[in-house]
Amino acid sequence: MPRPRTPLLNRERIVAAALRLVDEEGLPALSTRRLAAELSVSGPSLYNHFATKDELLDAVVDGVMGEVDLSMFTAGAPWPRALRDWARSYRAALAAHPNIVPVLAQGPGRRPNALRLADAVFGHLVEAGWPRGQATRIGALMRYFVTGSALASFAAGFPEDAGVYDVADYPHLGEAHRLAEHRAAVDEGAFETGLEALLDGLVLRFERLERGPRTHQGPRATNAGRSAGSTGS
């Protein structure tokens, strides 16, 4: 019988293996030698596809960014709803690959998927009526918020040992040992609370922006406020 053929080595296979390694063991585990062993190939063969480890890491990060849904940024879609849906998809992608977040948080660089994401958010906000400068700041604000929420678990940072929280030293932390037990609910709730607070504030800012230099409030501000109210949870 003929021997089973080894799957053809290509960029997609290398990136998938690298991401799996980072997911399972963290960024320090990613090396050319280790990745070659995972793929059952020689180390030099990887350099036919990626010249450096940094180039490979960029491709891994951009693959994660490609998991973020951008379909909500369609013409005429209310911007508060679009930002809400996008932020949730963005966080879900990062939550699935938390070990890659420190690299991703550095910015888009030359990564195509990351640049497409920035273009979609900025373009939608400008088309909705936000000045370009403010649209840029909102995009940055949302990225800070989402990546920050994915860097670590707030709830998991509290020891589960009730003895740590002596009432004499920490009179208000008597139930803090239970936070880790309810990690998902606490962290998800914190994200949703922050997201709604951000959007509520942005809607008010947009309404003031629309009223400011004009003698009457344009339909865009009215529709934005109505859309934000109709999509609240």
Side-chain angles (χ1 to χ4, degrees), residues 9-116:
L9 189 64
N10 54 38
R11 288 176 66 93
E12 291 74 20
R13 186 174 169 228
I14 294 170
V15 168
L19 179 58
R20 184 168 60 251
L21 189 59
V22 172
D23 283 344
E24 294 175 355
E25 301 184 32
L27 281 168
L30 182 60
S31 68
T32 301
R33 177 179 297 180
R34 180 65 188 281
L35 185 57
E38 291 289 320
L39 291 165
S40 300
V41 299
S42 64
S45 65
L46 298 177
Y47 292 109
N48 293 326
H49 302 274
F50 296 97
T52 65
K53 178 182 174 181
D54 286 343
E55 183 182 333
L56 169 60
L57 193 55
D58 268 352
V60 173
V61 173
D62 206 42
V64 173
M65 296 303 287
E67 297 178 13
V68 182
D69 184 14
L70 300 178
S71 64
M72 65 287 297
F73 294 116
T74 56
W79 64 264
R81 179 185 299 166
L83 282 186
R84 179 185 289 108
D85 292 345
W86 164 69
R88 287 172 174 164
S89 177
Y90 193 3
R91 182 174 183 269
L94 302 195
H97 310 286
N99 292 334
I100 207 72
V101 175
V103 181
L104 185 149
Q106 296 171 8
R110 296 175 179 270
R111 303 166 192 143
N113 287 328
L115 290 172
R116 275 191 285 272

Side-chain angles (χ1 to χ4, degrees), residues 186-215:
V186 172
D187 292 346
E188 184 67 25
F191 173 78
E192 289 294 330
T193 298
L195 179 60
E196 292 304 320
L198 279 176
L199 293 174
D200 287 347
L202 288 173
V203 167
L204 291 175
R205 188 180 185 90
F206 188 75
E207 291 174 347
R208 290 198 301 268
L209 175 71
E210 289 287 274
R211 288 196 300 265
R214 303 182 183 184
T215 56

Side-chain angles (χ1 to χ4, degrees), residues 154-177:
F154 173 82
F158 288 83
E160 297 184 62
D161 180 4
V164 170
Y165 308 99
D166 190 307
V167 67
D169 296 322
Y170 316 110
H172 306 295
L173 296 182
E175 298 295 317
H177 64 284

Side-chain angles (χ1 to χ4, degrees), residues 108-171:
R110 296 175 179 270
R111 303 166 192 143
N113 287 328
L115 290 172
R116 275 191 285 272
L117 184 152
D119 181 77
V121 175
F122 176 78
H124 194 78
L125 290 171
V126 170
E127 288 171 3
W130 284 97
R132 295 174 68 86
Q134 292 196 42
T136 299
R137 290 191 287 273
I138 292 169
L141 166 66
M142 297 300 292
R143 186 170 70 83
Y144 294 154
F145 173 67
V146 175
T147 56
S149 73
L151 278 172
S153 165
F154 173 82
F158 288 83
E160 297 184 62
D161 180 4
V164 170
Y165 308 99
D166 190 307
V167 67
D169 296 322
Y170 316 110

